[in-house]
Amino acid sequence: MDPPVTRYLPRDGHNPAYGVVGTGPADVVWFFDIQMHLDLLWTDPHMHSLFERLATYSRAVYFQRRGFGLSDPVDHVPTVEQQAEDVLAVMDAEQVRHASFVGIHSTCGPQVLVAATAPERVNASMLVAPFCEPLLDTGRTLHGWTETEVTAFVDG
């Protein structure tokens, strides 16, 4: 299976990138985090195999937030609310009425916000290593992270 054609959705003067794979009866919306690239993930044999397998039973929508990867650059990090609105906008563009969500790291917050504000659009949520607090704010204690872990994660 080849990677999907990258699609762009106009949002407030910026275009988040996304792709759609599969035609199965279940819809799954994946919101990729910073280190996940729509095209490059397909070069990893494990991810490629995962995407192919998902396509056998679902229509999977993969996308990145504004400013990252193939999405248009932005001059600010979109708020959690803007990102949640982007989730719904991508779903609307693909006529996805409701879906199972996959959030990864910092994209879990927007996915949870959609589940809280539009529960009729969400079948289930899978949160992979979620965090919703900024890691670069050194003026406070981060819950669940040691200083060494934060430094290693941010440097990575």
Side-chain angles (χ1 to χ4, degrees):
M1 171 182 285
D2 291 329
V5 173
T6 302
R7 303 174 190 187
Y8 294 91
L9 181 66
R11 299 283 301 147
D12 303 324
H14 302 96
N15 298 302
Y18 71 98
V20 180
V21 178
T23 58
D27 288 323
V28 182
V29 175
W30 290 69
F31 194 176
F32 287 165
D33 198 20
I34 296 167
Q35 76 278 15
M36 303 176 79
H37 191 281
L38 285 174
D39 281 348
L40 294 179
L41 281 175
W42 285 87
T43 65
D44 179 296
H46 301 290
M47 293 303 293
H48 194 123
S49 176
L50 173 66
F51 294 156
E52 285 184 335
R53 187 165 181 197
L54 286 169
T56 65
Y57 67 85
S58 71
R59 174 174 56 154
V61 179
Y62 305 98
F63 77 103
Q64 294 178 290
R65 69 173 64 123
R66 305 178 211 183
F68 294 97
L70 295 175
S71 295
D72 286 351
V74 294
D75 59 358
H76 66 287
V77 176
T79 66
V80 172
E81 292 81 8
Q82 289 172 320
Q83 293 174 60
E85 291 168 3
D86 289 348
V87 171
L88 292 171
V90 169
M91 289 175 70
D92 291 343
E94 291 302 316
Q95 300 178 350
V96 174
R97 293 185 51 200
H98 43 84
S100 296
F101 284 4
V102 179
I104 302 162
H105 302 305
S106 66
T107 66
C108 292
Q111 297 287 57
V112 168
L113 184 57
V114 172
T117 58
E120 70 283 358
R121 307 285 308 263
V122 183
N123 293 334
S125 290
M126 182 171 75
L127 307 177
V128 179
F131 66 85
C132 296
E133 58 185 345
L135 296 178
L136 300 178
D137 182 2
T138 57
R140 62 186 176 81
T141 302
L142 295 171
H143 301 286
W145 295 78
T146 66
E147 188 105 10
T148 303
E149 290 170 333
V150 170
T151 301
F153 187 85
V154 170
D155 288 347

